[in-house]
Amino acid sequence: MEDERSFSDICGGRLALQRRYYSPSCREFCLSCPRLSLRSLTAVTCTVWLAAYGLFTLCENSMILSAAIFITLLGLLGYLHFVKIDQETLLIIDSLGIQMTSSYASGKESTTFIEMGKVKDIVINEAIYMKVIYYLCILLKDPVEPHRISQVVPVFQRCVTQARGAWKFWKLHQVGQARGPKFLYVEALQVPDLS
Amino acid sequence: MVLKAFFPTCCVSVDSGLLVGRWVPEHSSAVVLAVLHFPFIPIQVKQLLAQVRQASQVGVAVLGTWCHCRQEPEESLGRFLEGLGAVFPHEPWLQLCRERGGTFWSCEVTHRQAPAAPSAPGEDQVMLIFYDQRQVLLSQLHPPTVLPDRQAGATPASTGGLAVVFDTVARSEVLFRSDRFDEGPVRLSHWQSEGVEASILVELARRASGPVCLLLASLLSLVSAIGACRVFRLWPLSFLGSKLSTCEQLRHRLEHLTLIFSTRKAENSAQLMRKANTVASVLLDVALGLTLLSWLHGRSRIGHLADALVPVADHVAEELQHLLQWLMGAPAGLKMNRALDQVLGRFFLYHIHLWISYIHLMSPFVEHILWHVGLSACLGLTVALSLLSDIIALLTFHIYCFYVYGARLYCLKIHGLSSLWRLFRGKKWNVLRQRVDSCSYDLDQLFIGTLLFTILLFLLPTTALYYLVFTLLRLLVVAVQGLIHLLVDLINSLPLYSLGLRLCRPYRLAAGVKFRVLQHEAGRPLRLLMQINPLPYSRVMHTYRLPSCGCHPKDSWGALCRKLFFGELIYPWRQRGDKQD
């Protein structure tokens, strides 16, 4: 069962959320980030090459131009491989754990799996960044002292949504059997803008 | 809790049989290790399982049945499989079934003791997780979870379920020893059932390593006994030994070689990795050293180097002389005190003159010395680099001397100035209370104190300039030596074997696992594929770094600047264990 909605992130880019329901004990949320815009790419390339050409007219050394080309290519490859995230996925499996995958524009995927025994709670945190934004994070238990929290792991780190307009209200749902240890996942409801 | 069945991918297409594995009740997971095929005699099966349980301390048992047939199981087969549940009592009893050529599976779990779950849908009862048995067996989780209880089946609930799975598979090697070609009473299918994997070279090396290690260990103990004898404790040799970085590096390498050839077996995997990394590091070092040696000795480069060395030393001395002449004049337009200037300048010029005479005295022997030093590269590139660093230190010894003279003079001046400045203001340093107190001086004390203060103050620019120039030169030499030491440190501590393992066999070093949801149909159990998530390179470096010589800058930048300002001598690259000057 699949479901798709679109939201906007804190910088104004478009985000798409896809929800997949595999079974009562397994769900997946997939958030796609805005793509690399041709405008910004052209702007950066033109700036670098104009600066290189300016230096070339000063120094009369053609190595500067080749160096500028190399820098642009390497910079673009590095950006696509290490910085630009295409989509982030959250896979929740009852009584096994939570898996977060980030796939980059160059195809690289980096996965983190957190076992259910380590998860203490899931909370919604408020942060102030130009405006108030809400983000979901997972609290991990300390292995030595089970009552202490050892780490806070934000979910969907790179694509953070803004509060206004789209996510107004988080509703807590329950996944898995009613009698076993409960695992709660969060679903965003679209509440009409009352202002 | 949902029941998780870990099923090996190598058994996905084998014939029907019994499921053999371990049941972990705390995490409600069944780890299937092998499939036992028909026909079998139950008594022999139970005997085999008891043997495996005793040998590996893992609670293996018959968990259920596996049915891989052409179409849906017939009535008689179904009853036969259920009857097996009575022969091998296990709670809960798993029944996995797969159509030949079909993708979807069906699972049934029967609990004999607990009452039937009220209207629990069959699809949500079991979750199938496929794992690659060979990869899970060979991999090692980081951080290593210590499972304290090694009795059959008992595991504390606080350890993660996945660590238990890895541990179970790793400890059940006894079960994997029999393969399809063995003539045993039972036929098992697991990752080694096509034939046990082994390499003849590894076996030969293992047989040969025993006596070789013994011989080399005795040789190395002889060498270290010679090194520890009384002669080297006497003053000139012990002083040289502590100052020269070559001796430090040789000692370090001797330690490494002792570790490699020690006859004690490595207890855990961390020690094994450390040994392997040390071997790789020593081999790389020797290989690079031999390359350097062949480069140096080819085409009489040593002769060229030796011919160039004395003129270079002369050139450096000439440049220093020009510098001193410049200082003795009016450097950068500053006006210096002529008398002090001349004294200091002539003093340093005489030093340089002495130094040049010694260099010229030694020049006929330089080529022979360089040739023998070049031979030391066969011990390793790090030894050659340490020797280079020591030679640089020896050749720039005069700069070091000038720095020490300048620094001591400047330090004396600064202390005198600060104490006389206190006298000028009518204060005194109280040593007992470690603070500045007011004090009433006599008139003649004040008079002489102020006079001396004025003299020192007006001589300060001259001394400060000399100090500045020679400190900069010294810092330059120290920076060059520091770079060489950093390179030596890099070669010493790089964990090459671990990095190579991460590159070629990434499943061996596991940071965790990752899951992929396989094709799913409503009404069927959920199927997941578990894969190993390899450790990132930065964590590999961090975890498996070899301990280095320990030459890191001891002072922070602030402390360094403070020492420079007050004229204290600086030794930024102090070795571990050196006494302060």
Side-chain angles (χ1 to χ4, degrees):
Chain A
M1 206 193 298
E2 286 199 22
D3 195 5
E4 178 149 356
R5 288 185 202 175
S6 69
F7 304 101
S8 62
D9 74 359
I10 47 176
C11 309
R14 279 182 62 82
L15 291 175
L17 174 71
Q18 252 190 335
R19 293 182 300 176
R20 278 192 215 106
Y21 170 89
Y22 289 114
S23 88
S25 52
C26 180
R27 290 186 201 220
E28 191 177 41
F29 297 90
C30 188
L31 203 59
S32 320
C33 297
R35 305 275 177 156
L36 182 65
S37 76
L38 195 60
R39 205 183 302 173
S40 59
L41 181 65
T42 323
V44 171
T45 317
C46 285
T47 328
V48 173
W49 284 1
L50 276 173
Y53 194 70
L55 269 176
F56 171 68
T57 46
L58 276 174
C59 304
E60 304 290 333
N61 192 356
S62 64
M63 286 292 285
I64 295 180
L65 294 176
S66 336
I69 295 177
F70 270 124
I71 290 173
T72 319
L73 275 175
L74 287 175
L76 184 65
L77 283 175
Y79 178 71
L80 289 179
H81 194 72
F82 294 110
V83 179
K84 181 85 192 75
I85 292 202
D86 223 8
Q87 69 183 25
E88 286 192 312
T89 314
L90 181 72
L91 177 70
I92 304 169
I93 308 168
D94 181 29
S95 80
L96 200 60
I98 309 173
Q99 173 169 291
M100 296 181 288
T101 315
S102 315
S103 44
Y104 292 83
S106 66
K108 171 172 110 155
E109 276 190 13
S110 102
T111 320
T112 326
F113 180 74
I114 303 174
E115 285 186 69
M116 204 51 88
K118 287 201 197 136
V119 173
K120 188 171 163 64
D121 206 352
I122 299 192
V123 295
I124 303 168
N125 245 355
E126 284 181 344
I128 300 184
Y129 172 83
M130 314 291 193
K131 54 187 91 156
V132 180
I133 56 171
Y134 300 91
Y135 63 96
L136 193 64
C137 46
I138 304 175
L139 300 176
L140 298 184
K141 277 188 215 167
D142 199 21
V144 174
E145 232 183 288
H147 298 292
R148 278 184 49 206
I149 298 168
S150 76
Q151 228 184 334
V152 174
V153 180
V155 173
F156 297 135
Q157 253 181 321
R158 300 300 184 98
C159 327
V160 178
T161 57
Q162 60 182 6
R164 198 181 67 77
W167 314 63
K168 269 276 197 202
F169 185 33
W170 296 79
K171 187 170 167 229
L172 298 171
H173 279 234
Q174 202 167 7
V175 166
Q177 309 289 6
R179 53 188 160 91
K182 296 189 185 83
F183 173 66
L184 308 169
Y185 85 92
V186 176
E187 183 191 330
L189 277 193
Q190 195 132 27
V191 172
D193 212 348
L194 293 169
S195 56
Chain B
M1 235 198 261
V2 176
L3 195 146
K4 301 175 278 271
F6 290 87
F7 198 80
T9 47
C10 48
C11 297
V12 160
S13 46
V14 301
D15 294 327
S16 316
L18 286 177
L19 295 169
V20 171
R22 180 186 173 191
W23 167 249
V24 184
E26 297 90 15
H27 303 109
S28 179
S29 43
V31 184
V32 175
L33 293 167
V35 172
L36 209 144
H37 296 293
F38 308 117
F40 56 82
I41 304 173
I43 301 285
Q44 286 177 337
V45 170
K46 288 190 188 172
Q47 271 177 355
L48 173 77
L49 289 178
Q51 275 173 6
V52 169
R53 256 198 296 267
Q54 201 179 20
S56 65
Q57 306 285 321
V58 174
V60 288
V62 176
L63 296 174
T65 56
W66 160 244
C67 177
H68 189 209
C69 45
R70 294 204 188 279
Q71 59 274 353
E72 286 296 319
E74 309 135 355
E75 220 13 73
S76 53
L77 188 61
R79 257 184 275 125
F80 170 62
L81 291 173
E82 273 173 36
L84 282 174
V87 180
F88 298 104
H90 189 263
E91 170 72 22
W93 184 252
L94 269 177
Q95 283 171 291
L96 297 174
C97 185
R98 183 191 167 202
E99 268 180 39
R100 212 171 266 276
T103 34
F104 297 109
W105 297 44
S106 69
C107 295
E108 263 178 51
V109 180
T110 344
H111 295 262
R112 243 163 257 132
Q113 278 137 24
S119 71
E123 66 199 66
D124 220 25
Q125 269 192 322
V126 190
M127 204 188 314
L128 276 170
I129 302 173
F130 298 107
Y131 69 98
D132 190 327
Q133 209 165 42
R134 176 168 180 266
Q135 289 191 355
V136 169
L137 181 76
L138 293 173
S139 88
Q140 196 209 343
L141 275 178
H142 297 79
T145 38
V146 178
L147 289 164
D149 238 355
R150 299 212 109 203
Q151 289 144 23
T155 326
S158 58
T159 51
L162 292 165
V164 174
V165 172
F166 276 71
D167 190 59
T168 308
V169 178
R171 282 200 270 151
S172 314
E173 277 207 64
V174 182
L175 193 62
F176 303 138
R177 286 219 190 111
S178 67
D179 56 27
R180 194 192 279 188
F181 305 101
D182 273 351
E183 301 287 331
V186 291
R187 288 194 305 137
L188 287 170
S189 271
H190 44 75
W191 70 284
Q192 298 249 46
S193 50
E194 297 293 323
V196 178
E197 265 186 20
S199 158
I200 198 163
L201 289 171
V202 169
E203 289 301 318
L204 281 174
R206 214 173 274 176
R207 300 288 154 136
S209 66
V212 166
C213 275
L214 212 57
L215 177 71
L216 285 169
S218 50
L219 268 177
L220 285 170
S221 58
L222 192 70
V223 170
S224 32
I226 294 175
C229 78
R230 298 285 306 267
V231 176
F232 293 108
R233 299 277 165 81
L234 298 177
W235 180 74
L237 288 174
S238 72
F239 178 73
L240 274 180
S242 67
K243 289 293 174 201
L244 289 177
S245 57
T246 316
C247 301
E248 180 74 32
Q249 178 63 23
L250 283 171
R251 233 174 287 153
H252 200 62
R253 276 292 178 227
L254 195 65
E255 260 176 46
H256 281 176
L257 287 173
T258 325
L259 175 70
I260 296 174
F261 294 117
S262 79
T263 43
R264 254 185 23 234
K265 246 177 103 67
E267 269 137 46
N268 54 17
S269 66
Q271 280 189 4
L272 189 69
M273 291 290 268
R274 183 132 165 228
K275 258 193 175 177
N277 282 326
T278 318
V279 170
S281 163
V282 169
L283 283 177
L284 174 76
D285 202 12
V286 171
L288 286 175
L290 289 173
T291 323
L292 181 69
L293 192 70
S294 66
W295 181 83
L296 268 180
H297 283 253
R299 289 211 245 153
S300 72
R301 286 208 181 84
I302 296 240
H304 293 324
L305 257 177
D307 288 338
L309 198 68
V310 176
V312 161
D314 268 344
H315 179 74
V316 166
E318 247 185 69
E319 290 299 317
L320 270 178
Q321 277 174 339
H322 286 312
L323 183 70
L324 282 169
Q325 299 286 0
W326 179 69
L327 281 176
M328 275 163 56
L334 294 169
K335 183 139 198 313
M336 314 283 274
N337 180 287
R338 267 203 80 67
L340 185 61
D341 216 358
Q342 296 285 322
V343 163
L344 286 175
R346 292 230 179 90
F347 181 59
F348 290 140
L349 276 172
Y350 182 62
H351 262 82
I352 293 177
H353 173 77
L354 275 178
W355 186 248
I356 288 297
S357 326
Y358 287 140
I359 295 275
H360 280 277
L361 212 66
M362 277 226 319
S363 60
F365 306 111
V366 165
E367 189 171 341
H368 287 284
I369 294 176
L370 272 183
W371 196 85
H372 286 103
V373 159
L375 274 188
S376 75
C378 68
L379 285 175
L381 183 70
T382 45
V383 177
L385 284 175
S386 316
L387 263 173
L388 178 71
S389 157
D390 286 335
I391 288 176
I392 290 179
L394 279 176
L395 285 180
T396 56
F397 189 64
H398 49 332
I399 296 181
Y400 172 64
C401 283
F402 293 168
Y403 164 70
V404 172
Y405 299 151
R408 289 275 190 235
L409 213 59
Y410 178 77
C411 181
L412 216 66
K413 188 156 279 203
I414 290 284
H415 282 182
L417 270 177
S418 58
S419 144
L420 289 173
W421 169 246
R422 276 181 231 126
L423 177 136
F424 195 62
R425 285 161 40 217
K427 295 203 190 292
K428 187 177 91 139
W429 173 253
N430 191 341
V431 184
L432 214 59
R433 297 284 183 104
Q434 292 287 314
R435 67 173 185 202
V436 177
D437 277 340
S438 65
C439 168
S440 61
Y441 290 98
D442 292 339
L443 192 63
D444 46 356
Q445 281 175 328
L446 275 176
F447 184 61
I448 295 182
T450 315
L451 202 63
L452 282 173
F453 175 73
T454 324
I455 294 173
L456 282 179
L457 184 67
F458 288 126
L459 290 179
L460 185 65
T462 318
T463 331
L465 194 67
Y466 273 90
Y467 173 64
L468 183 70
V469 167
F470 291 125
T471 309
L472 284 175
L473 283 174
R474 170 83 184 138
L475 283 177
L476 188 68
V477 171
V478 160
V480 169
Q481 275 192 301
L483 276 173
I484 296 180
H485 281 220
L486 271 176
L487 193 60
V488 167
D489 219 13
L490 183 72
I491 300 180
N492 269 343
S493 66
L494 198 67
L496 272 178
Y497 178 72
S498 307
L499 286 174
L501 207 62
R502 169 64 184 87
L503 195 64
C504 307
R505 302 253 186 280
Y507 57 83
R508 291 280 296 264
L509 302 169
V513 295
K514 52 188 176 192
F515 289 92
R516 195 156 62 93
V517 181
L518 298 174
Q519 205 180 355
H520 179 68
E521 203 185 65
R524 301 283 193 169
L526 182 69
R527 295 184 307 147
L528 299 166
L529 177 66
M530 182 171 92
Q531 290 166 313
I532 309 261
N533 202 11
L535 210 56
Y537 284 101
S538 52
R539 273 193 67 189
V540 173
M541 283 287 297
H542 183 72
T543 320
Y544 291 110
R545 266 185 82 104
L546 295 169
S548 61
C549 264
C551 68
H552 297 292
K554 296 282 177 280
D555 298 319
S556 64
W557 287 108
L560 195 71
C561 289
R562 201 186 65 85
K563 279 193 177 173
L564 281 176
F565 184 70
F566 284 113
E568 287 170 32
L569 291 175
I570 49 165
Y571 296 97
W573 307 102
R574 266 251 189 252
Q575 304 281 14
R576 228 190 348 205
D578 269 353
K579 292 199 284 285
Q580 286 297 322
D581 207 348

